[in-house]
């Protein structure tokens, strides 16, 4: 029987150019972003300039985490304690966490079986909040044209959580460029890796000035290369609290060479994603998630549905796959585990039950695809999942 022996949490090493740049930063002793030598803008400002260019944004701010980026974005657009903020029922804990961090209350919007936000439910709830924190969870992008039409008509400000869509697009518009602010993460399990880190991008002068001041710029915003002009800060600097969450030169140094190779990394992810996807197609009992042609995705993870399966059978599949070295996560598990939790487990937000989301999430199986996997590894993993799902499915059919 075939077994997989790789690690689902092992990332690639940092490119040599990044290691060398990081060593140079350490030798200089100048790690704080505003500690720069004359004539040298420093790694953080350069990274911001490069990321802004990558996604075609006027402005970019590098920060301490993706979660920090979302919290700063919510504050920058004026969310206040007690406000309601629409967000996805299917997302990762830092998303409702960012809403809670500003004292606001998430209103969860249903998920469809394509694993995107349910636009009919969004339409229904459009009157309940002035801001949507839209999470492109696991890289699935909804119909952004329809989403923006709904939000524009209802006067809803859209902030995008692009933790899994750095390098992705909807109809050639980079993910993060539909809403007023796009937020990204450079945490180890995302598309570029600095351990912790994140970005905020926007074309709006006042929003970006506020975000920069919030991040802890100590009135040194003139040292940024992807920031609005000084006039944008003139009044805001008196009104905006400092909620420190800056990025440092060390992280920026290791990110810049990774950003430069993002496009080729995306191709590597997608070859692996399509290999797993092709290997799983037409497995009885298993649904591969549909992806619309308008979406350019980054296949850094893959999801499938075991729709209407019993809990016990799903657990058996997970156990059998694990025994053959394939680590799958289950979003329908009754208890939160590791990175996987779901909306009804975020009790601080007092979520309203969502039966449609419950039915979808109950069957969501999730798998990371680190680039340390070869294409052959991915084919092997698909063979293992296919075989184990088939065995349990057939056993269930026989029992009925
Ligand atoms: C990882 C992640 C974030 C941000 O995470 P940080 O760990 O704070 O950088 C936000 N949204 C989603 C969906 C994520 O997976």
């Amino acid at each position: 029987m075939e077994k997989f022996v790789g690690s689902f949490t092992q990332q690639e090493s940092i490119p040599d150019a990044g290691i060398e740049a990081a060593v140079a930063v350490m030798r200089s002793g100048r790690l704080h972003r505003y500690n720069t030598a004359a004539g040298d803008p420093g790694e953080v400002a350069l990274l911001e300039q490069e990321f802004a260019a990558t996604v075609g944004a006027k402005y970019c701010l590098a920060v301490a985490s993706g979660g920090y980026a979302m919290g700063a974005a919510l504050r920058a657009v004026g969310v206040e304690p007690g406000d309601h903020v629409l967000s996805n029922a299917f997302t990762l804990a830092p998303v409702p966490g960012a809403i809670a961090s500003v004292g606001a209350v998430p209103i969860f919007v249903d998920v469809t079986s394509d694993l995107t936000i349910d636009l009919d439910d969004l339409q229904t709830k459009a009157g309940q909040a002035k801001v949507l924190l839209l999470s492109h969870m696991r890289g699935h992008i909804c119909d952004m044209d329809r989403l923006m039409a709904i939000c524009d008509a209802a006067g809803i400000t859209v902030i995008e959580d692009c933790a899994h869509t750095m390098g992705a697009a909807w109809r050639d518009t980079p993910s993060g460029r539909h809403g007023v602010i796009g937020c990204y993460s450079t945490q180890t399990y995302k598309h570029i890796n600095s351990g912790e880190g994140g970005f905020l991008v926007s074309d709006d002068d006042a929003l970006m000035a506020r975000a920069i001041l919030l991040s802890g710029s100590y009135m040194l915003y003139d040292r940024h290369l992807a920031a609005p002009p000084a006039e944008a800060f003139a009044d805001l600097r008196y009104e905006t609290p400092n909620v420190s969450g800056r990025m440092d030169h060390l992280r920026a140094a290791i990110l810049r060479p990774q950003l430069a190779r993002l496009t080729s990394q995306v191709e590597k992810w997608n070859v692996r994603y399509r290999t797993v996807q092709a290997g799983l197609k037409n497995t009885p009992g298993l649904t591969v998630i549909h992806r619309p042609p308008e979406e350019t995705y980054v296949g850094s993870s893959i999801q499938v549905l075991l729709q209407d399966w019993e809990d016990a059978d799903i657990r058996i599949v997970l156990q059998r796959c694990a025994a053959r070295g394939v680590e799958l996560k289950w979003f329908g598990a009754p208890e939160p585990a590791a990175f996987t939790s779901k909306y009804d487990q975020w009790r601080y937000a007092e979520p309203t039950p969502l039966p449609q989301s419950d039915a979808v999430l109950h069957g969501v199986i999730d798998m990371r695809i680190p680039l340390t996997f070869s294409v052959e590894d991915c084919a092997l993993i698909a063979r293992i999942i296919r075989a184990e799902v088939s065995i349990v499915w057939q056993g269930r059919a026989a029992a009925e």
Side-chain angles (χ1 to χ4, degrees):
M1 187 148 55
E2 290 184 306
K3 238 179 150 167
F4 177 64
V5 292
S7 162
F8 282 79
T9 51
Q10 182 59 54
Q11 307 302 321
E12 293 178 297
S13 60
I14 302 303
D16 286 342
I19 295 173
E20 281 157 26
V23 169
V25 168
M26 288 190 281
R27 290 228 158 88
S28 78
R30 294 185 296 272
L31 273 70
H32 189 281
R33 73 163 294 163
Y34 297 116
N35 188 192
T36 50
D40 177 11
E43 296 282 348
V44 179
L46 290 168
L47 173 67
E48 288 168 340
Q49 193 175 46
E50 290 158 4
F51 192 74
T54 301
V55 298
K58 266 169 97 172
Y59 309 128
C60 173
L61 172 68
V63 292
S65 73
Y68 182 89
M70 293 184 287
L74 291 166
R75 273 187 109 119
V77 303
V79 173
E80 293 189 346
D83 285 356
H84 288 164
V85 175
L86 294 158
S87 194
N88 305 59
F90 177 47
T91 186
L92 214 72
V95 179
I99 297 171
S101 79
V102 297
V105 182
I107 307 263
F108 295 111
V109 182
D110 262 321
V111 61
T112 69
S113 53
D114 289 349
L115 301 189
T116 54
I117 193 165
D118 185 328
L119 296 176
D120 294 329
D121 194 38
L122 178 66
Q123 177 78 70
T124 306
K125 291 174 176 160
Q128 296 184 33
K130 284 285 153 221
V131 175
L132 166 66
L133 178 52
L134 172 67
S135 183
H136 304 294
M137 177 60 170
R138 287 298 189 260
H140 297 277
I141 303 180
C142 72
D143 179 344
M144 288 303 296
D145 304 307
R146 186 168 165 221
L147 178 128
M148 290 310 298
I150 293 170
C151 292
D152 289 345
I156 294 173
T157 300
V158 178
I159 297 168
E160 292 180 75
D161 163 26
C162 305
H164 301 150
T165 53
M166 184 188 290
W170 177 263
R171 261 192 225 269
D172 299 332
T173 298
S175 186
R177 302 292 295 129
H178 290 87
V180 290
I181 299 182
C183 302
Y184 305 79
S185 171
T186 63
Q187 191 237 74
T188 292
Y189 299 110
K190 315 297 161 120
H191 298 169
I192 55 177
N193 170 16
S194 58
E196 302 289 352
F199 297 113
L200 242 120
V201 300
S202 186
D203 290 346
D204 186 290
D205 285 30
L207 292 184
M208 193 47 93
R210 243 184 245 125
I212 289 171
L213 291 163
L214 278 167
S215 76
S217 59
Y218 298 117
M219 307 303 158
L220 296 168
Y221 41 79
D222 61 339
R223 302 213 188 151
H224 287 239
L225 296 175
E231 305 88 82
F233 297 85
D235 296 329
L236 292 174
R237 66 196 160 143
Y238 298 106
E239 311 165 2
T240 311
N242 177 324
V243 186
S244 287
R246 295 170 300 272
M247 182 175 279
D248 57 88
H249 290 315
L250 204 47
R251 288 191 171 88
I254 65 176
L255 287 172
R256 290 180 62 209
Q258 295 182 65
L259 182 61
R261 66 171 194 189
L262 179 61
T263 308
S264 61
Q265 297 288 93
V266 170
E267 281 163 22
K268 283 164 73 181
W269 259 307
N270 288 350
V271 170
R272 284 157 181 75
Y273 179 94
R274 285 173 193 136
T275 301
V276 178
Q277 189 188 40
L280 292 179
K281 239 183 203 146
N282 303 321
T283 303
L286 177 149
T287 310
V288 172
I289 307 296
H290 164 256
R291 305 207 80 138
E294 295 91 342
E295 180 196 32
T296 305
Y297 59 86
V298 182
S300 54
S301 69
I302 189 163
Q303 295 70 42
V304 297
L305 294 179
L306 297 180
Q307 248 162 344
D308 305 322
W309 282 52
E310 303 285 337
D311 275 30
D313 290 334
I314 294 178
R315 279 183 213 282
I316 295 170
V317 168
L318 299 181
Q319 282 159 10
R320 294 185 65 109
C321 287
R324 295 179 67 181
V326 175
E327 225 179 272
L328 302 176
K329 300 278 188 299
W330 179 28
F331 273 93
E335 291 302 322
F339 288 91
T340 315
S341 62
K342 70 189 215 301
Y343 81 93
D344 57 353
Q345 292 155 352
W346 305 323
R347 291 187 196 159
Y348 61 84
E350 299 179 15
T352 306
L354 299 168
Q356 173 185 313
S357 296
D358 293 342
V360 172
L361 294 177
H362 182 261
V364 177
I365 305 296
D366 174 65
M367 189 186 91
R368 282 200 183 113
I369 308 181
L371 288 179
T372 49
F373 289 3
S374 66
V375 177
E376 181 38 47
D377 288 340
C378 292
L380 167 62
I381 288 166
R383 285 198 297 277
I384 291 172
I385 298 172
R386 185 184 193 86
E388 297 304 332
V389 167
S390 301
I391 286 170
V392 180
W393 178 258
Q394 281 155 16
R396 184 173 96 153
E400 271 169 7

